[in-house]
Structures are given as C-alpha cells and as structure tokens.
C-alpha cells in the first residue's frame, strides 16, 4: 500500500466538498475561518489549481451560476469517484507530525527583552484569541457550521460524532490554555518587573 505522509491541497478540497457543493471562495473560507481553519491551511492560490486538476481527473464537477453585476461563479461538487478517492486517501495516509505556529508565542519567548506592557498586551491578545476560538468551534453554535458532513447530521441537525469530538478537543485545548494564562500571567509580569527594576 502506498502510504502518504501529509494531506495535499487536492485531498483537502475533496474533504471540503464531502458535505455539500461549494465555490472555491467558500472552500477557502473553510480553511480561513471555518471548519478546518484551526488545524489546516489552504490558500486561495493553491485551491483553484487543485480544483482544476480534480475536475480534469473526474473527481469533481462544476456548474457555472450567474451573479448579478459580477462574473459567473463556479460551484463545485464531489463525484462518486472523488468521494471514493478521498476515503481511500484517508485510509492510506499516515498523518504528519502536528506543528503549532504562533507569532505571539515566539515574541513571548523574548519577554525579558520587551516592555512589560507589551508582554502583558500580547498575553491578553493570546487569551482573547483562544476565547474567540472556543466560540467559533463550539459544535452547538448556530452561527457556525463546524462540520463539513452536513449529510452526517441527525434529524435535529446535531454535528456528526467525529466533528463533535474534534470540536470538543479544540475547546478543551483552548480552556487549558486560558487556565494556564489565568494561573501564570501575574507571576510572569511580576518577575519581569522585578528584573527590570534591578537593572535600573
């Protein structure tokens, strides 16, 4: 069996279309601030070439829909072959190592070199982002569709078990981060102020 090491953009696009049809822009939104935004990245510049190749390979089809005062938009839909390919890819993929990227955490690594006020502001912004993320990934939040498997919802519209699990894990990670900040922020700020006072 040919084992893949990472998810490529074509696979990500197939996954985005598992629930329903979507435009390239709507797929980008899923990775920008929607369903997948907290653990995958796919830029608009990579999505459209991937959709073109998937169309050529018979994995997706599209229809062009008219828009008033705007160019027609392409709405993509998964074919049965695309669905089979996506599920086969999931079975043949060994997930790559998770990597967490954060400019704020990189900056905070050098907190002793920064003004204390900036360090405090960075920590507060980091906390605010996690509070917002908790809301965004709440599977019960009616404002957000946090599961691409629309057909996998029950009669009450509840998310599928997998989506609920992933969202719950994300919320638990956010809560752990916020709890750590609540318990450790004041101590860090006090230590930084003490060190700066000794230098002056």
């Amino acid at each position: 069996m040919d084992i893949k090491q990472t998810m490529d953009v074509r696979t990500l696009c197939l996954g985005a279309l598992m629930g329903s049809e979507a435009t390239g822009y709507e797929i980008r939104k899923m990775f920008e601030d929607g369903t997948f935004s907290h653990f995958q990245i796919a830029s608009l510049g990579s999505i459209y070439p991937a959709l073109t190749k998937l169309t050529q390979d018979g994995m997706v089809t599209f229809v062009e829909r008219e828009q008033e005062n705007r160019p027609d938009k392409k709405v993509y839909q998964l074919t049965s072959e695309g669905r089979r390919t996506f599920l086969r890819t999931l079975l043949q993929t060994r997930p790559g190592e998770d990597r967490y990227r954060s400019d704020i955490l990189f900056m905070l690594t050098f907190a002793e070199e920064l003004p204390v006020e900036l360090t405090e502001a960075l920590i507060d912004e980091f906390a605010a982002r996690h509070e917002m993320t908790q809301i965004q990934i709440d599977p019960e939040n009616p404002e957000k569709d946090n599961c691409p498997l629309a057909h996998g919802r029950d009669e009450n519209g509840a998310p599928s078990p997998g989506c609920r699990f992933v969202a719950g894990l994300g919320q638990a990670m956010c809560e752990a981060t916020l709890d750590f900040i609540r318990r450790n922020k004041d101590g860090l700020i006090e230590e930084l102020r003490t060190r700066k006072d000794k230098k002056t």
Side-chain angles (χ1 to χ4, degrees), residues 126-187:
F126 194 69
R129 289 182 184 183
H130 279 73
E131 288 169 352
M132 181 58 66
T133 297
Q134 274 189 308
I135 296 169
Q136 289 177 332
I137 64 178
D138 181 357
E140 308 305 325
N141 182 356
E143 301 285 321
K144 301 289 269 183
D145 183 8
N146 290 308
C147 185
L149 303 176
H151 55 77
R153 292 175 178 269
D154 64 22
E155 63 277 1
N156 299 318
S160 69
C163 290
R164 224 173 29 248
F165 177 87
V166 171
L169 178 61
Q171 287 187 301
M173 292 168 71
C174 286
E175 184 52 44
T177 298
L178 291 167
D179 182 59
F180 179 87
I181 290 171
R182 284 190 288 266
R183 288 185 289 105
N184 293 279
K185 173 188 164 185
D186 290 345

Side-chain angles (χ1 to χ4, degrees), residues 11-120:
T11 301
L12 298 179
C13 287
L14 290 175
L17 292 169
M18 278 290 284
S20 63
E21 62 183 24
T23 64
Y25 175 78
E26 289 167 338
I27 292 173
R28 184 189 72 166
K29 293 293 283 181
M30 292 184 200
F31 292 96
E32 192 173 79
D33 60 10
T35 305
F36 307 112
S37 60
H38 306 292
F39 48 85
Q40 285 290 359
I41 297 173
S43 67
L44 199 58
S46 64
I47 288 171
Y48 280 112
L51 289 171
T52 298
K53 185 72 169 100
L54 289 168
T55 302
Q56 293 169 350
D57 292 346
M59 305 294 171
V60 303
T61 59
F62 68 85
V63 295
E64 293 194 14
R65 296 199 179 141
E66 290 185 12
Q67 299 184 98
E68 192 173 336
N69 299 322
R70 298 175 67 187
D72 294 351
K73 66 178 178 180
K74 290 181 179 179
V75 181
Y76 296 88
Q77 187 170 29
L78 205 59
T79 64
S80 56
E81 179 59 29
R83 179 182 171 81
R84 282 193 297 273
T85 298
F86 175 69
L87 296 176
R88 189 167 57 245
T89 300
L90 291 186
L91 293 173
Q92 296 176 351
T93 298
R94 179 180 297 134
E97 183 179 340
D98 292 342
R99 293 185 178 273
Y100 184 81
R101 295 176 56 178
S102 169
D103 291 343
I104 290 180
L105 291 184
F106 182 79
M107 294 172 72
L108 287 174
T109 304
F110 307 96
E112 64 275 11
E113 305 295 335
L114 301 174
V116 175
E117 295 75 18
L118 176 57
T119 297
E120 191 165 12

